[in-house]
Amino acid sequence: MNRWLIVLGTIIVQMGLGTIYTWSLFNQPLSDRFGWDVSSVAITFSITSFALAFATLFAGRLQERWGLQRLIRVAGVVLGLGLILSSQVTSLTLLYILAGFVVGFADGTAYITSLSNLIKWFPERKGLISGISVGAFGTGSLLFKYVNTALIGAVGPAQAFMYWGIIVLVLVVAGSFLIREAVVREQAPKSKEGSKQVVARHDYTVKEMLRTKEAYMLFVIFFTACMSGLYLIGIVKDIGVQLAGLDVATAANAVAMVAIFNTAGRIILGALSDKVGRMKVIAGALLVTAVAVMTLSLVPLTFGIFFACVAAVAFCFGGNITVFPAIVADYFGLKNQSKNYGVIYQGFGFGALAGSFISALLGGFHLTFIVIAVLCAISLLLALIITPPGQGRRARQRDKQMNLNPSSRAG
């Protein structure tokens, strides 16, 4: 099987899935059409994001039952129908159910399984391949910013849902025909002197993974990375207007810039993690994010400072969510990647909600950015001290043996 055909199929699928990140384009048009409050309409995307993360808990089991190709096709059909039926809604409740939960659950199911499968096909290039797959997701959102803008202008938001749903259905189902499911044998313990990467001692089940402290440390780091990026993406235009004093049109350019730097971070930091080590990339991204959000909170913002900080956070966020699938594979093995990463991926769902809740509780951007910076500092410390499960214990045992047998050092 030509692995690069599987890459192409996954790219097509992920581009279709990534179109959900254009949701903000529909907030004001739907508000104008139905008289709903804009903030109430915007809640739909929070539900979508949470449902996307929630779906990853079940996707691995569904894949075992149905097979990968069939699961992705079903998810593509459900995703497309969810958007098509959203064109007929006349209440917020139905919008939340269809465009929120149904679309998000279908999207998350296809996202986690197609990404995890591609990593299994390229175990020697996990970071790069993860970057290509997740980068395609970001590219889909960037391209469909223009497609959905044109559709809304031409036929209105309701009919735009219908055409959007049809296009996404075709993309995901068509891409699934090029995808083949990888078969992973149980890993033998490996060690490579001087290697930048680690290899799991064996393939952990979810239960085994949850018995390790490293799983919870990774969850905290991922939650922090996702919360910082998702919160900024949701309010970037408002920051430009309120904190940097930009006009609405200029501040709106930051939305496109976020998509561009987000996609660039996915590809560049994904590939870099294969060469310098994944946790080093995560640590660097957390440090840059902390500096950027503190600057947004404490420094008088000019046009240049605002865009530099936004670009930095978007770049690091894209890199973080790209490198994490490879980290989970490195730490816990490839065989149960969909299930294991699905658990850690709940940090994305909680991160999607936490920023808005903290902002509402604290009353604005400034204090929220300070909280994010503190969380980044804590997660940075965790990234610097974390090691794969059992590795620290084995290193201590080796040191103890060396101390007990000095002649072995001489040898």
Side-chain angles (χ1 to χ4, degrees):
M1 182 64 197
N2 187 338
R3 294 190 298 175
W4 293 103
L5 285 178
I6 300 170
V7 173
L8 177 60
T10 304
I11 287 173
I12 294 171
V13 169
Q14 291 282 344
M15 287 183 67
L17 301 177
T19 63
I20 64 166
Y21 271 65
T22 61
W23 176 261
S24 62
L25 299 173
F26 288 85
N27 287 337
Q28 191 63 54
L30 287 173
S31 175
D32 294 340
R33 178 181 173 87
F34 294 105
W36 299 329
D37 184 71
V38 173
S39 60
S40 297
V41 179
I43 289 173
T44 308
F45 185 67
S46 295
I47 297 172
T48 305
S49 299
F50 187 80
L52 189 157
F54 184 65
T56 63
L57 290 174
F58 307 94
R61 294 186 182 91
L62 291 173
Q63 180 179 341
E64 290 176 350
R65 181 176 300 179
W66 293 356
L68 181 64
Q69 274 194 337
R70 183 183 176 193
L71 178 62
I72 292 176
R73 285 172 199 160
V74 170
V77 170
V78 173
L79 173 58
L81 289 178
L83 291 171
I84 291 168
L85 292 175
S86 295
S87 68
Q88 305 301 314
V89 303
T90 55
S91 71
L92 277 171
T93 301
L94 277 177
L95 187 70
Y96 292 160
I97 293 172
L98 291 171
F101 186 80
V102 172
V103 167
F105 195 92
D107 200 282
T109 300
Y111 170 80
I112 191 73
T113 52
S114 59
L115 169 61
S116 297
N117 181 69
L118 193 62
I119 292 174
K120 292 175 185 177
W121 276 106
F122 292 85
E124 77 283 5
R125 302 178 186 173
K126 296 189 193 82
L128 174 62
I129 288 300
S130 181
I132 290 173
S133 179
V134 182
F137 191 94
T139 302
S141 68
L142 180 60
L143 294 178
F144 261 73
K145 174 183 181 293
Y146 303 101
V147 173
N148 279 344
T149 297
L151 287 173
I152 292 170
V155 298
Q159 286 297 103
F161 275 123
M162 179 174 292
Y163 292 115
W164 179 16
I166 292 171
I167 296 171
V168 168
L169 190 155
V170 170
L171 283 173
V172 176
V173 172
S176 71
F177 283 97
L178 294 175
I179 294 175
R180 296 292 182 273
E181 190 164 356
V183 177
V184 179
R185 295 186 177 90
E186 185 76 20
Q187 290 182 211
K190 288 184 187 178
S191 172
K192 201 172 193 179
E193 195 67 33
S195 174
K196 297 294 184 183
Q197 305 306 341
V198 296
V199 179
R201 293 177 61 228
H202 73 282
D203 291 298
Y204 286 68
T205 65
V206 171
K207 288 183 179 179
E208 289 173 335
M209 181 185 74
L210 291 177
R211 295 192 193 107
T212 70
K213 66 180 183 300
E214 290 80 9
Y216 301 94
M217 295 168 73
L218 289 177
F219 178 87
V220 171
I221 298 170
F222 193 53
F223 166 80
T224 301
C226 291
M227 188 182 96
S228 59
L230 292 170
Y231 176 68
L232 185 77
I233 289 171
I235 48 91
V236 63
K237 186 171 76 171
D238 301 319
I239 298 173
V241 173
Q242 296 182 31
L243 299 186
L246 305 178
D247 60 78
V248 174
T250 302
N253 291 331
V255 176
M257 188 184 67
V258 163
I260 293 170
F261 277 87
N262 188 358
T263 302
R266 295 171 190 231
I267 297 172
I268 294 172
L269 294 186
L272 184 64
S273 74
D274 285 331
K275 298 181 178 180
V276 304
R278 307 200 204 287
M279 293 313 302
K280 288 181 181 179
V281 168
I282 294 296
L286 289 168
L287 177 60
V288 171
T289 299
V291 172
V293 295
M294 286 300 289
T295 301
L296 288 172
S297 178
L298 302 177
V299 176
L301 297 181
T302 63
F303 176 91
I305 293 175
F306 166 71
F307 277 96
C309 290
V310 168
V313 174
F315 185 86
C316 292
F317 170 64
N320 282 328
I321 63 174
T322 297
V323 175
F324 252 85
I327 290 175
V328 173
D330 288 340
Y331 277 46
F332 304 110
L334 284 169
K335 186 175 181 180
N336 301 303
Q337 169 74 358
S338 294
K339 296 177 184 177
N340 290 339
Y341 184 51
V343 173
I344 303 299
Y345 196 76
Q346 298 315 297
F348 181 96
F350 287 106
L353 301 175
S356 298
F357 281 125
I358 292 173
S359 181
L361 182 65
L362 299 180
F365 304 136
H366 291 286
L367 289 176
T368 305
F369 284 144
I370 292 175
V371 169
I372 290 174
V374 171
L375 287 173
C376 284
I378 294 171
S379 295
L380 171 59
L381 178 61
L382 292 177
L384 293 174
I385 64 174
I386 191 172
T387 56
Q391 187 181 83
R393 184 173 61 254
R394 292 194 302 274
R396 288 192 295 271
Q397 289 173 346
R398 284 197 305 270
D399 291 342
K400 185 177 180 180
Q401 290 173 354
M402 295 283 279
N403 290 330
L404 292 174
N405 186 14
S407 62
S408 62
R409 284 200 298 263

